[in-house]
């Protein structure tokens, strides 16, 4: 039997402050808050509400699938298990989830994401924080900002809890546009939970930072207590060659301000990666455009 429900296209955003880049109306990438990107409204109109059909089937020894069919998306959900849930910063929780090899096999590029439901909650969008696993062990790490229905439910789950997770979605960051032999300098800009897919980039070593002149991350949070993965910053530099400059907004300084103050030379061979608040992203794009850098060299994961 088919059960019909209605889901608002504004209920959950794909971005970072969700995730920091599966997003809210003020985010520009898919991250961890679990809301739907406002770009869906731009495409379909603010009043657009897709009709969703849910159908369940059980097959012995296989994933139990729930298929959401909407006019803009087809999503298959299957069971997954929370292995670990831990608060790692103010308002930020780290989840280790066993989604199974079938669900995780599509994760090949940092910046991809999954949709998650807790019981009958509306699906939330969450960027994957762990690097792609060549061994495909079926485990993924998520950084969840404790805001929004699904995110709030995830942040109180115990190890062993069952959730519903989609296959891996999205194209991720188009890192092939900026090979290390052509782009000697890459500036990365992330705010809040937007650091989630940036962590995946760094720890996958997809940028080959040590082969470049400079790879530098400007990482913004309200304060040190709100900075997820703060204890990994030194490791990112030592192991992967990525310099990190923490920027704390409670001081009145934002990521774009810190970059502008340093006033680095921009020109040929320079690119950027952005995941975070809309205002920050627009400011970064403006500075790079003024320096004559093509917009295609400012990478996002949507």
């Amino acid at each position: 039997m088919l059960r019909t429900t209605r889901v608002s296209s504004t209920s959950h955003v794909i971005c970072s402050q969700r995730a920091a880049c599966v997003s809210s109306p003020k985010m520009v990438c898919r991250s961890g808050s679990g809301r739907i990107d406002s770009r869906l409204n731009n495409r379909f109109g603010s009043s657009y509400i897709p009709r969703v059909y849910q159908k369940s089937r059980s097959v012995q020894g296989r994933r139990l699938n729930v298929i959401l069919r909407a006019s803009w998306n087809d999503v298959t959900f299957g069971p997954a298990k929370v292995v670990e849930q831990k608060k790692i910063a103010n308002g930020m929780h780290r989840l280790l989830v066993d989604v199974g090899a079938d669900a995780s096999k599509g994760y090949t590029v940092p910046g991809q994401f999954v949709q998650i439901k807790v019981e009958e909650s509306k699906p939330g969008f969450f960027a994957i924080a762990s690097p792609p696993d060549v061994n495909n062990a079926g485990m993924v790490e998520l950084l969840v900002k404790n805001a929004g229905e699904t995110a709030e439910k995830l942040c109180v789950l115990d190890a062993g809890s069952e959730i519903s997770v989609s296959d891996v979605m999205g194209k991720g960051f188009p890192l092939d546009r900026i090979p290390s032999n052509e782009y000697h300098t890459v500036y990365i800009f992330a705010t809040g939970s937007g650091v989630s897919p940036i962590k995946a980039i760094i720890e996958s070593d997809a940028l080959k930072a040590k082969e470049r002149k400079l790879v530098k991350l400007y990482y913004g949070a309200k304060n040190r207590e709100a900075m997820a993965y703060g204890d990994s910053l030194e490791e990112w530099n030592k192991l992967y060659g990525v310099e990190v400059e923490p920027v704390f907004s409670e001081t009145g300084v934002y990521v774009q301000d810190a970059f502008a103050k340093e006033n680095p030379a921009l020109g040929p061979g320079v690119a950027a990666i952005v995941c975070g608040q809309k205002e920050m992203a627009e400011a970064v794009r403006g500075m790079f455009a003024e320096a004559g850098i093509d917009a295609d060299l400012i990478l996002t994961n949507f």
Side-chain angles (χ1 to χ4, degrees), residues 190-192 195 217-221 226-229 233 236 244-247 255:
T191 55
V195 77
L217 166 62
Y218 293 83
Y219 176 14
M227 181 165 278
Y229 305 118
L233 306 188
W236 290 350
V244 183
E245 179 170 339
V247 182
V255 164

Side-chain angles (χ1 to χ4, degrees), residues 2-287:
L2 291 178
R3 182 181 61 189
T4 302
T5 59
R6 295 180 71 84
V7 177
S8 169
S9 66
T10 60
S11 60
H12 289 283
V13 175
I14 297 179
C15 180
S16 186
Q17 251 137 292
R18 167 196 122 45
C21 290
V22 181
S23 227
S24 77
K26 293 186 178 180
M27 304 307 298
V28 298
C29 63
R30 291 187 169 90
S31 65
S33 62
R35 301 171 180 168
I36 290 180
D37 200 318
S38 58
R39 285 183 303 278
L40 296 177
N41 284 340
N42 294 336
R43 181 177 177 186
F44 299 107
S46 59
S47 62
Y48 176 74
I49 302 177
R51 185 172 297 276
V52 177
Y53 301 95
Q54 300 183 357
K55 183 177 181 180
S56 300
R57 65 181 174 84
S58 179
V59 180
Q60 185 174 4
R62 295 185 182 179
R63 234 173 160 227
L64 173 67
N65 293 324
V66 179
I67 302 176
L68 297 186
R69 300 194 184 280
S71 58
W72 50 269
N73 206 5
D74 286 349
V75 183
T76 301
F77 284 84
K81 182 175 292 186
V82 175
V83 176
E84 179 182 286
Q85 183 274 119
K86 182 180 180 181
K87 181 179 178 180
I88 60 172
N90 287 347
M92 300 287 184
H93 292 245
R94 173 186 181 269
L95 269 73
L96 187 63
V97 181
D98 184 356
V99 301
D102 285 346
S104 66
K105 65 184 177 182
Y107 182 36
T108 58
V109 182
Q112 291 178 288
F113 64 98
V114 292
Q115 292 190 44
I116 295 179
K117 299 197 305 174
V118 181
E119 297 176 337
E120 296 302 314
S121 71
K122 296 176 181 178
F125 295 72
F126 301 89
I128 300 173
S130 49
D133 180 8
V134 295
N135 298 313
N136 192 25
M139 305 289 288
V140 296
E141 178 183 344
L142 306 172
L143 177 62
V144 179
K145 181 180 180 180
N146 191 1
E149 177 193 8
T150 300
E152 290 173 3
K153 289 184 175 182
L154 287 172
C155 291
V156 297
L157 292 180
D158 296 322
S161 297
E162 296 282 346
I163 58 177
S164 299
V165 180
S166 72
D167 291 335
V168 176
M169 307 175 73
K171 296 180 179 180
F173 291 100
L175 300 175
D176 55 343
R177 293 182 191 171
I178 54 172
S180 60
N181 62 340
E182 295 181 31
Y183 295 90
H184 55 75
T185 299
V186 179
Y187 294 107
I188 307 173
F189 304 88
T191 55
S193 58
V195 77
S196 177
I198 300 304
K199 175 180 180 290
I201 290 178
I202 294 172
E203 295 183 358
S204 68
D205 199 27
L207 276 178
K208 303 296 180 186
K210 291 186 175 181
E211 298 178 5
R212 304 178 195 257
K213 179 181 177 181
L214 175 66
V215 175
K216 184 169 183 177
L217 166 62
Y218 293 83
Y219 176 14
K222 180 179 180 180
N223 49 41
R224 193 168 297 278
E225 290 72 28
M227 181 165 278
Y229 305 118
D231 56 356
S232 297
L233 306 188
E234 185 176 343
E235 178 182 278
W236 290 350
N237 186 8
K238 185 178 298 184
L239 294 184
Y240 304 104
V242 177
E243 295 184 21
V244 183
E245 179 170 339
V247 182
F248 302 120
S249 61
E250 71 175 10
T251 67
V253 178
Y254 297 89
V255 164
Q256 60 269 32
D257 302 326
F259 181 73
K261 183 178 180 180
E262 291 187 4
N263 193 28
L266 299 179
V270 178
I273 300 172
V274 179
C275 192
Q277 293 179 332
K278 179 180 178 181
E279 294 81 1
M280 176 273 288
E282 289 178 346
V284 169
R285 289 193 182 101
M287 287 184 280

